[in-house]
Amino acid sequence: MFKFRPTFRIRLALIVAGTVVVLAIANGVLIAFGTDAGIIVLGNLAVLIFGSALAAFAYLFTKSVVIQVDDKEISMSYGILNKITVTIPLAKIDNITEKQNIFESFAGVTDLYIDTPATLDYEMVFNDIEKTDAAQILKLIGAGTAKPEETAKR
């Protein structure tokens, strides 16, 4: 059984960048209107508190995600207050797509999209997982979904 969690690096970087952009825009607007310095400080403090709360929530949610792959199924559990578990037998998986944007490429992470014939959309999406973890998942899923005659030829 292979068990892992997604990484938090990309989400944290996006939250920090977003907070800095919001601070810059808020300061520009407040200064343009000639707002008192005390109000500007309070506005900055409110943006920083909101950004910190958002980062804390993203961290807790990321730490709540657990993905397990064994020789028969793949399952993902997530949620902070309400725990949700989704399980797919490996034999039902018909397509796995790996997507990576430029930021994920620099961070060494990727996204995996797992599809079954049962739905029109992806059944499972794993965001921001390490490339080494993704390779191991693909290896395990590929071994679990191989047809008996393909396995016999190997």
Side-chain angles (χ1 to χ4, degrees):
M1 175 182 292
F2 178 60
K3 183 177 180 179
F4 73 99
R5 296 178 187 272
T7 184
F8 179 62
R9 291 186 299 232
I10 295 290
R11 289 185 178 111
L12 181 62
L14 290 174
I15 290 169
V16 169
T19 302
V20 168
V21 167
V22 169
L23 277 174
I25 292 171
N27 281 330
V29 168
L30 291 174
I31 290 171
F33 285 117
T35 307
D36 185 38
I39 300 296
I40 293 174
V41 169
L42 286 176
N44 288 340
L45 187 61
V47 170
L48 287 174
I49 288 171
F50 180 74
S52 298
L54 188 60
F57 177 77
Y59 176 78
L60 290 174
F61 185 79
T62 301
K63 290 300 175 187
S64 77
V65 176
V66 177
I67 302 165
Q68 295 181 5
V69 182
D70 60 24
D71 59 344
K72 295 190 184 340
E73 63 188 17
I74 183 166
S75 65
M76 178 173 65
S77 299
Y78 60 94
I80 296 174
L81 299 177
N82 295 329
K83 201 69 157 170
I84 298 170
T85 302
V86 178
T87 303
I88 300 175
L90 294 183
K92 300 270 185 187
I93 296 173
D94 71 340
N95 186 27
I96 302 169
T97 305
E98 184 175 356
K99 295 182 183 178
Q100 187 179 43
N101 62 34
I102 192 164
F103 302 113
E104 291 171 335
S105 177
F106 287 127
V109 298
T110 189
D111 300 335
L112 285 181
Y113 296 80
I114 298 178
D115 193 20
T116 64
T119 61
L120 295 175
D121 205 6
Y122 293 108
E123 199 77 27
M124 279 187 188
V125 177
F126 304 142
N127 292 317
D128 302 335
I129 59 174
E130 299 283 342
K131 288 286 287 178
T132 54
D133 290 342
Q136 190 159 0
I137 290 170
L138 291 172
K139 181 180 171 187
L140 289 169
I141 290 176
T145 58
K147 308 265 185 289
E149 61 273 4
E150 290 176 1
T151 308
K153 290 179 185 176
R154 289 184 191 171

